[in-house]
Amino acid sequence: MKNKLKSGYQAALPSLISILVGLVIAVVILIATNPANALDGFFRMIKGPFNYGAARGLGNMLFYATPILMTGLSVAFAFKTGLFNIGASGQFMIGSLVSVYIAIKWTFIPTSVLWLVALLLGALAGALWAAVVGILKAWRNVNEVITSIMMNYIAMYLVMHVIRFGGIYNQARNETMKVASQIPTFGLDKIFVRSFIDGGILIALICAVIIYVVLEKTTFGYELKAVGLNRDAAKYAGVNEKRAIVTSMIIAGALAGLGGGLTYLAGTSKSINVAAVIASEGFDGIAVALLGMSHPFGVVFSAFFISYLKLGGQAMQVIGYVPEIVEMMIGIILYVSALSLLFRRIITKFKERRLKKVGEES
Amino acid sequence: MNDLYFLIQQMMLFSVPLLVVAIAGMFSERSGVVNIALEGIMIMGAFSGTLFMHLNQTNGGLSGYPLLFASMAIATVTGMVYALFHAFASIEMSADQTISGTALNLFAPAFVIFSARSVIGIQQVNFQNTFLIQSVPLLGDIPIIGRMFFQNAYLSTYLGFLILIIASFVLYKTPFGLRLRSAGENPQATDAAGISVRKIRYAGVLISGALAGLGGLIYIIPVTVTFNADVAGYGFLAIAVLIFGQWKPSRILTSALFFGLLKTISASYSGIQFFFNLNIPQVIYQVIPYVATLIVLVISSKKSQGPKALGEPFDKGKR
């Protein structure tokens, strides 16, 4: 147990150092652009959700973390099979559309379970959308990056069209109508009072646990990872690598699609805007997955962390900083985490020096 | 016939930036470094270029072609400097190239909005587009071809083709091109031949940054008069064009033109009588470029011909 903890700490150390370096650079930017408010700004950034009172702030943090946790899981899961799922955005958009459509239109289903039906079918839609990418990769060896990019744009235009002409359009606000059924809060609103929180975060966390179990405790997960490490070797070892690739994309798509449903069936009645923009949640998901080192629990932490920072950014707006400062910081942190080899070298050097010192003393 | 002229003139506006940025990607990837940061680099280039134009046009200074050339130079240098970060991470630190590229993509729009607000107070960078060429002297008067290619055009179109020719020449006819290709195919052998893989890859990524930065600006100029931290996903589309073009200049040209044509039809079908009369819902036209690309990929896909060492950090000790 102790060893496990230690190795976990060592695995997370480069990320922690990246975060620290990112914070330092952010402080430099704060001081350079607005020295008078820099100290205040820094404390607001560090306080994150606690700028708004603990219960409300933490509730909002969990609320904002939900979509990027799901897209992060989606990207991370595909990574395990060696696939770069840049299409989480498209799967997310399709999932959003189907979930919202059903939650508005299928009122013949009792409101109490309508949200669940909507979520499940949203996940299914995301899965089917991603399956195209997986099938083309497995059987025609078409690069998944290019198909993902194409599928993102197709999803974007399709979603805009269906909203406009599918009878779910609120023309005055250029977005979807209000949904008839929302995800219950499962009592979370009693804990995190006055926040936006809904039950979505619980569903997202359950997904993270399931993905962990699938990856770490099942033969299927082992096969996926084998395909990710070396497709040819896995094939030689008797793994049906085509099936593994398609299944992996289907699961990744289901996660992103469910993320879309969770985002738009949340208690705040957020609606899908009609705009020719690819959903940013997919790209944020890439950052979340990479920062979480593609481990389901790492993804949970990095989704929380990014959400934490975003709330800090909101608080900084009050004293005149643009919220983009947080996006910049996330970029810097991610970049520094790519340099983790540097840290590993420094750490090893440091250790060697200490060992030497101990050796000399004794 | 008028529709055809219009179609071809429009097509160039879509195709040329894709061509230039896909060639940018080619230089990096042929050297063995994945460059998913093209979108971010384009945004940086477009920003510095348009900001320079804005400042000159509002405060007086350069104008006309000197301004255009200076802006292009600035966009090019900006792209190069930004790509240096990717080069450092990928080559010096043996970093995961996807992570580094994604980080640069995330950072760019945020940085651009932040800087625009700091420098000019708002996030939109306005500029005047005074660079349309009504008709190229002499060439514009050639029947048919003149109207297609030398009227209502931008300098960037010719620049794009020039870049293509130079890029093909460099890649296939110069020692540098040979080294670049070998660094992406078999870095160990390149190293054994006494060539620094490190330097070659730096060159590849920096050329990539320069062209992508320039590509950002030449995408923005014809389509709008306001740069708002966004190049509409052209960096990602250029990656698709690059892969579709199998990392080869001539095929990149074909795939950029193919995509550009379909994109033109989808963007301007309502202005073309033939397509307008078909009475098909807009969404069909909108998704045609992407669906057609998928179909062509399915038909044409064989073994991918990407560089073999693509994405692998070079480790001297590994044989």
Side-chain angles (χ1 to χ4, degrees), chain A residues 29-30 33 79 84 86 132 136 139-143 145-151 153-158 160-161 164-165 283-284 286-287 290-291 321-343 345, chain B residues 36 84-90 92-96 98-100 102-104 106-107 109-111 113-114 117-118 123 232-234 236-237 239-241 243-244 247 259 263 281-283 286-287 289-291 293-294 297-304:
Chain A
I29 296 174
L30 289 184
T33 51
F79 257 131
F84 185 34
I86 202 170
V132 176
L136 291 183
W139 273 280
R140 306 288 311 195
N141 197 27
V142 185
N143 189 303
V145 173
I146 175 170
T147 40
S148 289
I149 293 170
M150 298 299 144
M151 294 300 279
Y153 283 94
I154 297 170
M156 176 183 92
Y157 287 117
L158 204 63
M160 278 165 49
H161 180 79
R164 276 216 193 106
F165 302 103
F283 297 109
D284 286 344
I286 298 174
L290 295 174
L291 209 57
Y321 285 106
V322 289
E324 276 72 23
I325 201 153
V326 169
E327 309 285 333
M328 281 164 69
M329 214 164 80
I330 295 167
I332 294 166
I333 291 172
L334 196 57
Y335 180 77
V336 178
S337 78
L339 305 183
S340 58
L341 198 73
L342 174 74
F343 298 132
R345 267 187 225 152
Chain B
I36 201 162
L84 195 59
F85 286 97
H86 190 50
F88 175 74
S90 312
E92 221 70 62
M93 305 312 304
S94 306
D96 185 315
T98 308
I99 302 187
S100 164
T102 305
L104 294 182
L106 280 174
F107 182 80
F111 173 79
I113 293 172
F114 178 81
R117 291 239 178 106
S118 305
Q123 92 180 45
Y234 259 59
F236 292 113
L237 292 177
I239 293 172
V241 167
I243 300 172
F244 194 10
W247 295 268
F259 198 83
K263 191 89 181 138
Q282 188 189 14
V283 67
Q286 285 168 331
V287 301
Y290 311 101
V291 174
T293 307
L294 281 181
L297 275 170
V298 173
I299 297 168
S300 68
S301 72
K302 279 169 252 147
K303 281 249 170 254
S304 166

Side-chain angles (χ1 to χ4, degrees), chain A residues 62-301:
Chain A
L62 296 174
F63 171 78
Y64 289 124
T66 307
I68 54 175
L69 171 49
M70 293 305 295
T71 50
L73 278 180
S74 168
V75 177
F77 192 80
F79 257 131
K80 291 287 181 189
T81 334
L83 298 170
F84 185 34
N85 182 19
I86 202 170
S89 293
Q91 297 141 24
F92 179 91
M93 286 187 274
I94 289 292
S96 309
L97 176 72
V98 169
S99 294
V100 167
Y101 187 89
I102 289 168
I104 294 173
K105 284 281 199 173
W106 287 16
T107 39
F108 53 86
I109 298 173
T111 322
S112 52
V113 289
L114 179 56
W115 62 272
L116 190 60
V117 176
L119 284 183
L120 288 174
L121 289 174
L124 181 68
L128 292 175
W129 201 253
V132 176
V133 175
I135 289 168
L136 291 183
K137 171 80 181 183
W139 273 280
R140 306 288 311 195
N141 197 27
V142 185
N143 189 303
E144 79 278 10
V145 173
I146 175 170
T147 40
S148 289
I149 293 170
M150 298 299 144
M151 294 300 279
N152 279 348
Y153 283 94
I154 297 170
M156 176 183 92
Y157 287 117
L158 204 63
V159 168
M160 278 165 49
H161 180 79
V162 174
I163 292 175
R164 276 216 193 106
F165 302 103
I168 54 169
Y169 189 35
N170 177 352
Q171 203 166 358
R173 305 186 54 164
N174 197 30
E175 61 183 27
T176 48
M177 297 169 176
K178 295 278 165 272
V179 292
S181 170
Q182 294 167 346
I183 305 166
T185 55
F186 303 120
L188 287 173
D189 56 331
K190 304 281 188 298
I191 305 169
F192 303 103
V193 275
R194 293 203 305 128
S195 74
F196 295 139
I197 200 159
D198 67 304
I201 187 66
L202 288 183
I203 298 172
L205 288 173
I206 291 168
C207 288
V209 174
I210 293 173
I211 292 302
Y212 172 78
V213 172
V214 168
L215 280 175
E216 303 298 329
K217 309 285 177 201
T218 66
T219 322
F220 171 64
Y222 184 77
E223 285 181 0
L224 283 188
K225 286 190 282 187
V227 173
L229 289 173
N230 190 333
R231 190 176 161 178
D232 296 323
K235 191 178 171 184
Y236 184 70
V239 176
N240 184 343
E241 102 288 7
K242 288 194 168 92
R243 203 192 62 184
I245 286 174
V246 177
T247 329
S248 167
M249 276 315 291
I250 285 176
I251 292 173
L255 289 166
L258 179 59
L262 293 180
T263 307
Y264 291 102
L265 297 190
T268 46
S269 325
K270 203 176 153 191
S271 302
I272 310 175
N273 284 320
V274 177
V277 179
I278 305 270
S280 64
E281 284 85 352
F283 297 109
D284 286 344
I286 298 174
V288 168
L290 295 174
L291 209 57
M293 290 176 295
S294 296
H295 189 286
F297 298 151
V299 168
V300 171
F301 281 114

Side-chain angles (χ1 to χ4, degrees), chain B:
Chain B
M1 208 58 193
N2 276 333
D3 285 349
L4 185 66
Y5 293 134
F6 176 71
L7 208 62
I8 287 179
Q9 287 164 2
Q10 288 290 311
M11 182 174 109
M12 290 305 155
L13 302 187
F14 282 112
S15 299
V16 167
L18 281 177
L19 173 68
V20 172
V21 180
I23 289 175
M26 183 191 78
F27 272 101
S28 169
E29 304 216 335
R30 271 298 177 100
S31 80
V33 180
V34 173
N35 194 351
I36 201 162
L38 292 173
E39 176 92 359
I41 302 173
M42 277 181 85
I43 288 173
M44 289 300 228
F47 172 68
S48 64
T50 51
L51 182 68
F52 183 74
M53 270 188 215
H54 171 92
L55 294 175
N56 273 281
Q57 285 170 340
T58 47
N59 303 334
L62 295 174
S63 67
Y65 276 97
L67 176 60
L68 180 64
F69 286 125
S71 306
M72 282 181 168
I74 283 174
T76 308
V77 173
T78 309
M80 214 180 212
V81 171
Y82 197 52
L84 195 59
F85 286 97
H86 190 50
F88 175 74
S90 312
I91 303 161
E92 221 70 62
M93 305 312 304
S94 306
D96 185 315
Q97 295 161 12
T98 308
I99 302 187
S100 164
T102 305
L104 294 182
N105 281 340
L106 280 174
F107 182 80
F111 173 79
V112 160
I113 293 172
F114 178 81
S115 310
R117 291 239 178 106
S118 305
V119 178
I120 56 175
I122 53 167
Q123 92 180 45
Q124 291 85 2
V125 185
N126 299 311
F127 60 93
Q128 286 151 15
N129 176 0
T130 56
F131 310 114
L132 181 74
I133 303 170
Q134 294 291 346
S135 177
V136 179
L138 292 175
L139 294 172
D141 299 332
I142 303 170
I144 303 177
I145 293 180
R147 270 197 78 180
M148 276 185 190
F149 298 108
F150 299 105
Q151 292 184 13
N152 289 328
Y154 284 89
L155 190 74
S156 50
T157 301
Y158 313 121
L159 190 64
F161 283 92
L162 188 69
I163 288 170
L164 173 75
I165 293 165
I166 295 173
S168 313
F169 180 79
V170 167
L171 192 65
Y172 291 119
K173 304 284 178 197
T174 63
F176 170 73
L178 183 68
R179 287 168 189 172
L180 189 83
R181 284 181 286 141
S182 74
E185 290 293 334
N186 194 338
Q188 312 298 347
T190 315
D191 184 60
I195 297 155
S196 164
V197 173
R198 187 175 152 269
K199 278 184 190 158
I200 292 289
R201 288 193 169 173
Y202 261 107
V205 177
L206 291 186
I207 295 172
S208 183
L211 292 178
L214 176 65
L217 185 63
I218 63 183
Y219 162 70
I220 285 296
I221 290 177
V223 297
T224 176
V225 287
T226 309
F227 175 65
N228 191 4
D230 180 32
V231 291
Y234 259 59
F236 292 113
L237 292 177
I239 293 172
V241 167
L242 172 67
I243 300 172
F244 194 10
Q246 293 286 305
W247 295 268
K248 291 190 179 73
S250 57
R251 292 190 61 168
I252 289 173
L253 172 67
T254 323
S255 76
L257 289 177
F258 170 76
F259 198 83
L261 176 67
L262 294 173
K263 191 89 181 138
T264 307
I265 293 173
S266 83
S268 49
Y269 73 95
S270 57
I272 297 168
Q273 205 60 38
F274 170 74
F275 291 112
F276 189 70
N277 289 343
L278 290 177
N279 218 0
I280 297 171
Q282 188 189 14
V283 67
I284 303 293
Y285 286 107
Q286 285 168 331
V287 301
I288 276 177
Y290 311 101
V291 174
T293 307
L294 281 181
I295 293 170
V296 173
L297 275 170
V298 173
I299 297 168
S300 68
S301 72
K302 279 169 252 147
K303 281 249 170 254
S304 166
Q305 291 163 3
K308 285 194 185 64
L310 188 57
E312 280 176 24
F314 173 59
D315 177 1
K316 253 191 178 185
K318 214 170 102 184
R319 282 285 188 274

